[in-house]
Amino acid sequence: MEQIRKLQKSNLIGAYHYVKRILLGRQGNDGFVFKLFVYGLLISVGFVYLYPILYLVSQSFKSLQDLLDPTVLWLPQKLFLENFTQAWHVLDYMDTFWNSVMNSVLPAIGQTVSCAIVGYGLAKFRFPGKSIVFALMMITFIVPNQVVMIPLYLMFNEYHMLGSSLPFIVPTIFAQGIKGVLFILIYTQFFRTIPVSLEEAAQMDGAGFIRTFFTVILPISTPAIVVVMLFSTVWHWNETYLTSLYLGDSMTTLPLQLKTFNDSFARLYGGGQTVGGQHQNINESIRMAGTLLIVLPLLILYLFAQRRFVEVVDKTGITGE
Amino acid sequence: MSKLKVNKKMREALTGYALVLPWVIGFILFMAYPIYYSVFLSFHKVTISAEGIVTEYTKGDNYKYAFLSDPEFVEKLLLFIKSAVGMIPIIIVFSMLVALLINQPIKMKGLFRAIFFLPVVITSGEVVNELFSQGATAIPLVEKYGIIEIIKDNLSPAWSTPIIDLIQQLILILWFSGVQILIFLAGLQKVNKQVYEAASIDGASPWVSFWKVTLPAIKPFIAVNMIYTTVDLFTNSFSDVIELIKANMFNLTTGFGYATALAWIYFGVIFVFLLFILLLFRNNDEVTVRRKRRSA
């Protein structure tokens, strides 16, 4: 009797430990409860994170009835595409899209090339005063645009560059421009990881510095080039403050069109009668459709190049490698 | 032989200079000269006439006006500073939390990383403003539980306004943490796994080993993130002060001179923030070094 009780007890203890191990795990972070907690937290925070975008998508497909109907929360009763056609016309999508591309891809090409050259110089050559260059770069990083923007505006005005993409392209030729320092650092960090023996081999074969750079260094630096190109494009695309200042009224980009969306809409559809309220009125859904159209190119880009984007931090060398 | 060596060294240095030269020229043209010129402008009254730019020296009047007479500037600046003081810790703590979660042995790490980085790619000032004005950035539950009323009742308006603003823009604030999450993740992955094992053999719970192992190990990354967040917050076009600077540029009574003065004051604030962060993190290091010395 005594023995049976003991056996039962030990069985119970064994079961207890077994259940405990499954639930809480061996090390405190591999149990079921912990996993549940981690996933739960990640998924709910992820939802909160995506909430504005989900809201944007859901809202943009709603017709006026759905919009006014309080029972329709997330799923519209039918896919209402009229919002998009209207927003498309209001944004003057194709033209504006090309403006945006010109305004972001051209400067991005400039930065990708020039920052690579500067980064190469910083990574592979010893010369006095290098630390001064790095210090100056840090200054460039912390001085806000607002400090230098007015002199630059006056300067670009003097050279009649305002109203075109030139105020964005010209600085990038000199490895400046939006977050130029960051790109130089990305390159510097990447080039440093390339073994010196590779260059020496090329130099043995009689290649000069320039040739080594183009035939040996650049071909194996594709990851860094892609990262810089992507980020430069995206950041130039999203820049609205300087863009609206430099471009003025003569040129407009997609994000800028959002500012004048209401006016453009009124010009296209609204005009005339204000009495009775029967005319086509702008509603949130149309604005949301416009917003979605504006971020759509970026979303598509992100969908395909997501891995590359996420790599950026590993490449800047903030991790201390 | 030695002559050849010197030559080679010199050639290396010269090539290095040649490669960095574009940046130096760019720096002089687009940074150094504009900085000098903007200091100059900030002490002048600038008018643009048919013949060009006319400047008139006014001593420190622009700065005086900004602090003493401008009806908006000081108020907006203070409000922005207050909200920045609130936002920076939220961003840091949140991004560290998310990085810790993603760093656990879970499936679909890549997906979660991608979700948290998405806003970095798609947010521009205008889009953010649009989402904000449509109410897409407020967490729906917060309004329901009357949290805002509680804060309003219990705090003076000087502090309740920025705090309520913070809550209403919570998603937006979280949206600013994409880069920071990645930085923390990179930092966490560098922490030696063996240290955790050693800690757990010594009987440290995950909670303790977070405070004793993880946190000290990623301290430099906290500093980096705080600096990054400060610069990011102050320079993105979401700030009211920045809008005010632009508005003053094309205001006939104030003009370019006054706008540059405002920009410099703004920069001063950023600088103080960064200095404070650096001091915060350097001091602590010195304390630990001193402690170590004492115990040795």
Side-chain angles (χ1 to χ4, degrees):
Chain A
M1 195 63 188
E2 183 77 350
Q3 260 182 340
I4 291 172
R5 199 177 286 157
K6 222 176 216 170
L7 204 72
Q8 268 178 343
K9 204 178 170 191
S10 75
N11 263 348
L12 260 179
I13 290 173
Y16 166 74
H17 279 296
Y18 178 72
V19 170
K20 190 183 165 192
R21 206 172 64 215
I22 296 278
L23 287 181
L24 298 177
R26 282 199 187 92
Q27 286 166 0
N29 71 347
D30 51 357
F32 179 73
V33 172
F34 187 78
K35 281 262 164 69
L36 198 72
F37 172 73
V38 168
Y39 279 112
L41 216 56
L42 270 178
I43 289 170
S44 41
V45 176
F47 172 73
V48 167
Y49 233 67
L50 291 181
Y51 177 80
I53 296 165
L54 297 175
Y55 181 87
L56 183 66
V57 173
S58 139
Q59 206 73 358
S60 61
F61 281 108
K62 281 182 184 168
S63 63
L64 194 59
Q65 283 96 323
D66 282 345
L67 200 62
L68 297 174
D69 187 347
T71 58
V72 178
L73 276 179
W74 285 99
L75 284 178
Q77 280 163 337
K78 61 177 197 314
L79 281 185
F80 188 72
L81 295 172
E82 185 65 11
N83 293 332
F84 286 97
T85 38
Q86 282 181 347
W88 180 279
H89 290 302
V90 172
L91 291 173
D92 194 5
Y93 199 79
M94 277 335 275
D95 280 354
T96 325
F97 177 78
W98 282 115
N99 278 345
S100 265
V101 169
M102 292 283 280
N103 247 334
S104 51
V105 173
L106 292 181
I109 294 173
Q111 278 188 324
T112 317
V113 176
S114 60
C115 292
I117 294 170
V118 175
Y120 182 58
L122 288 171
K124 293 287 182 182
F125 297 91
R126 258 168 301 164
F127 54 87
K130 204 198 261 184
S131 51
I132 299 175
V133 173
F134 275 116
L136 291 178
M137 282 186 177
M138 284 305 115
I139 293 179
T140 325
F141 183 66
I142 51 170
V143 171
N145 277 332
Q146 287 68 37
V147 168
V148 291
M149 139 193 117
I150 292 164
L152 285 179
Y153 177 83
L154 294 173
M155 190 162 97
F156 291 133
N157 187 28
E158 214 160 295
Y159 291 104
H160 304 287
M161 288 202 256
L162 293 178
S164 72
S165 310
L166 284 174
F168 293 97
I169 298 171
V170 174
T172 61
I173 296 172
F174 297 98
Q176 303 282 323
I178 298 169
K179 309 224 180 182
V181 172
L182 196 64
F183 299 132
I184 294 176
L185 289 181
I186 290 176
Y187 276 123
T188 310
Q189 209 55 37
F190 190 87
F191 292 148
R192 273 188 187 150
T193 61
I194 297 173
V196 191
S197 52
L198 214 60
E199 289 157 79
E200 279 171 355
Q203 271 148 28
M204 287 285 202
D205 292 345
F209 287 117
I210 308 289
R211 223 173 122 201
T212 321
F213 179 63
F214 281 105
T215 55
V216 179
I217 303 286
L218 274 193
I220 53 172
S221 305
T222 332
I225 295 173
V226 172
V227 163
V228 169
M229 185 75 198
L230 283 175
F231 268 94
S232 181
T233 310
V234 164
W235 276 329
H236 275 99
W237 181 287
N238 282 336
E239 171 59 55
T240 51
Y241 187 71
L242 290 179
T243 320
S244 67
L245 181 69
Y246 291 157
L247 295 186
D249 296 327
S250 53
M251 205 173 158
T252 172
T253 64
L254 279 178
L256 278 182
Q257 279 287 69
L258 205 53
K259 225 184 215 168
T260 51
F261 197 87
N262 279 353
D263 299 337
S264 317
F265 186 88
R267 223 176 22 248
L268 265 179
Y269 296 98
Q273 53 197 126
T274 37
V275 196
Q278 281 306 306
H279 67 285
Q280 174 70 44
N281 229 334
I282 191 160
N283 61 44
E284 288 146 53
S285 287
I286 299 172
R287 284 191 70 102
M288 284 286 139
T291 315
L292 188 60
L293 281 177
I294 287 167
V295 294
L296 199 61
L298 296 174
L299 278 176
I300 294 171
L301 186 70
Y302 190 62
L303 213 61
F304 285 108
Q306 171 263 116
R307 229 165 260 273
R308 302 286 194 179
F309 276 108
V310 178
E311 272 173 1
V312 68
V313 168
D314 305 328
K315 295 229 153 50
T316 44
I318 325 178
T319 52
E321 264 143 46
Chain B
M1 188 67 198
S2 76
K3 203 179 170 190
L4 199 85
K5 213 173 179 182
V6 167
N7 271 343
K8 203 185 164 198
K9 219 176 181 178
M10 256 179 69
R11 229 182 66 178
E12 190 189 336
L14 282 179
T15 320
Y17 283 131
L19 291 172
V20 180
L21 190 67
W23 184 85
V24 175
I25 296 175
F27 178 79
I28 293 166
L29 279 178
F30 301 108
M31 211 62 202
Y33 175 71
I35 286 177
Y36 155 76
Y37 195 53
S38 104
V39 174
F40 172 83
L41 286 182
S42 76
F43 287 100
H44 287 73
K45 176 149 185 62
V46 184
T47 37
I48 299 205
S49 64
E51 302 101 66
I53 305 153
V54 183
T55 53
E56 180 193 332
Y57 185 62
T58 56
K59 288 188 211 158
D61 275 2
N62 283 333
Y63 292 92
K64 228 185 267 167
Y65 183 80
F67 284 113
L68 299 178
S69 329
D70 193 303
E72 288 176 299
F73 179 68
V74 175
E75 190 190 340
K76 280 198 171 161
L77 188 66
L78 281 180
L79 206 65
F80 187 72
I81 292 173
K82 269 183 200 167
S83 73
V85 168
M87 276 162 96
I88 293 170
I90 293 179
I91 291 175
I92 298 292
V93 170
F94 173 78
S95 54
M96 197 193 297
L97 200 80
V98 170
L100 282 169
L101 286 175
I102 296 180
N103 199 39
Q104 296 301 324
I106 54 161
K107 292 191 179 95
M108 299 198 295
K109 258 179 210 204
L111 176 73
F112 285 118
R113 238 168 33 153
I115 291 176
F116 291 112
F117 199 68
L118 176 67
V120 179
V121 179
I122 62 161
T123 41
S124 54
E126 297 309 321
V127 169
V128 164
N129 277 334
E130 178 65 25
L131 288 174
F132 185 61
S133 67
Q134 299 286 348
T137 54
I139 301 174
L141 286 177
V142 172
E143 317 254 309
K144 278 188 196 147
Y145 290 112
I147 296 173
I148 288 167
E149 272 65 42
I150 296 174
I151 294 170
K152 238 182 220 163
D153 292 343
N154 290 319
L155 285 169
S156 70
W159 279 104
S160 66
T161 330
I163 290 176
I164 289 169
D165 279 353
L166 279 186
I167 292 174
Q168 279 171 341
Q169 315 172 4
L170 200 58
I171 295 184
L172 267 191
I173 297 170
L174 303 189
W175 269 26
F176 283 116
S177 354
V179 173
Q180 288 86 331
I181 291 172
L182 289 188
I183 292 177
F184 274 135
L185 255 178
L188 285 173
Q189 272 153 11
K190 280 183 68 84
V191 182
N192 196 339
K193 292 261 171 359
Q194 286 168 342
V195 182
Y196 287 113
E197 276 168 31
S200 84
I201 287 169
D202 284 348
S205 64
W207 176 252
V208 172
S209 70
F210 168 75
W211 290 101
K212 298 284 179 188
V213 180
T214 313
L215 207 57
I218 58 169
K219 212 170 110 192
F221 297 95
I222 301 177
V224 167
N225 268 341
M226 282 183 84
I227 292 170
Y228 182 87
T229 313
T230 309
V231 173
D232 196 38
L233 276 184
F234 275 89
T235 50
N236 71 40
S237 41
F238 203 54
S239 145
D240 277 346
V241 184
I242 285 184
E243 281 306 313
L244 191 69
I245 293 173
K246 203 184 199 173
N248 270 307
M249 263 179 88
F250 299 104
N251 187 331
L252 283 180
T253 51
T254 49
F256 288 154
Y258 183 59
T260 44
L262 292 189
W264 277 108
I265 298 170
Y266 192 62
F267 174 62
V269 174
I270 300 178
F271 200 70
V272 169
F273 263 74
L274 294 178
L275 223 58
F276 179 74
I277 293 169
L278 286 178
L279 274 178
L280 198 75
F281 282 85
R282 211 187 56 185
N283 259 354
N284 282 352
D285 279 350
E286 268 169 16
V287 169
T288 47
V289 168
R290 230 177 280 147
R291 238 184 250 154
K292 264 181 204 155
R293 263 189 216 142
R294 210 177 289 158
S295 64

